[in-house]
Amino acid sequence: DHAETFEEVMKALEAGFTSVMIDGSMLPFEENVVLTKRVVEAARSYGASVEAELGKLAGNEGLKTLEEEEAEQTSPEEAEKFVELTGVDALAVAIGTAHGLYTRPPKININRLKEIGFQCCLLSNNQIERVEMFNKDVNVNYIYNDFYRLPAW
């Protein structure tokens, strides 16, 4: 989950994983494309699928922390281009979700998710997104859940 380097992905593939996740979302778009495409090419030789991440989530991103105001939602145009250039199987997108605890009620952009229209995965931290996603007409592959407690607003 959330390999940030090609070498981490290779360790997973060599260990027999049939699906890997490369997170180049902290990189500039072009560098994320290059890294992800390299991972996809390697994974294909192992018969593995690849999920990548595009856009930046608020909260804890591995060793880095983003302020919610700095979080960038995934652009539908960039998502389409990214998928076309990399051949990735699934795409984790940022639509107002966050890692860790929310510091205020989230504003989840369902319309953005519908506009992306690809096999999407959501990185989430609690049940709010589950309720919202499954009450809407959206195509979500799965939702990661970090199992944090909800704040009492």
Side-chain angles (χ1 to χ4, degrees), residues 10-152:
M10 290 308 298
K11 287 179 185 177
L13 292 170
E14 290 164 2
F17 282 69
T18 58
S19 179
V20 293
M21 198 282 193
I22 184 65
D23 183 358
S25 64
M26 292 296 197
L27 299 171
F29 179 82
E30 295 78 13
E31 291 178 36
N32 192 355
V33 166
V34 170
L35 173 62
T36 302
K37 186 173 183 175
R38 185 173 177 211
V39 166
V40 168
E41 290 169 356
R44 294 295 180 257
S45 68
Y46 286 84
S49 62
V50 178
E51 173 190 348
E53 187 170 334
L54 187 62
K56 294 178 178 69
L57 296 177
N60 188 332
E61 285 275 3
L63 298 176
K64 303 168 184 117
T65 300
L66 294 172
E67 295 300 319
E68 289 180 352
E69 293 76 24
E70 295 175 320
E72 299 174 17
Q73 291 194 5
T74 303
S75 155
E77 297 78 21
E78 278 195 350
E80 182 178 357
K81 184 177 179 182
F82 186 85
V83 169
E84 181 180 311
L85 292 172
T86 63
V88 71
D89 299 296
L91 189 61
V93 296
I95 59 165
T97 53
H99 287 304
L101 293 175
Y102 287 117
T103 58
R104 60 182 170 265
K107 294 177 183 169
I108 300 167
N109 192 341
I110 302 296
N111 290 331
R112 175 70 51 104
L113 183 61
K114 289 179 180 180
E115 290 173 19
I116 292 170
F118 181 69
Q119 184 76 2
C120 292
C121 306
L122 299 180
L123 306 175
S124 163
N125 76 350
N126 59 49
Q127 299 299 316
I128 292 174
E129 289 89 359
R130 289 180 186 272
V131 171
E132 287 213 28
M133 293 302 118
F134 295 111
N135 287 332
K136 307 289 182 184
D137 181 27
V138 294
N139 181 20
V140 176
N141 186 29
Y142 58 93
I143 299 174
Y144 288 109
N145 193 330
D146 294 337
F147 299 105
Y148 288 94
R149 293 180 180 262
L150 291 173

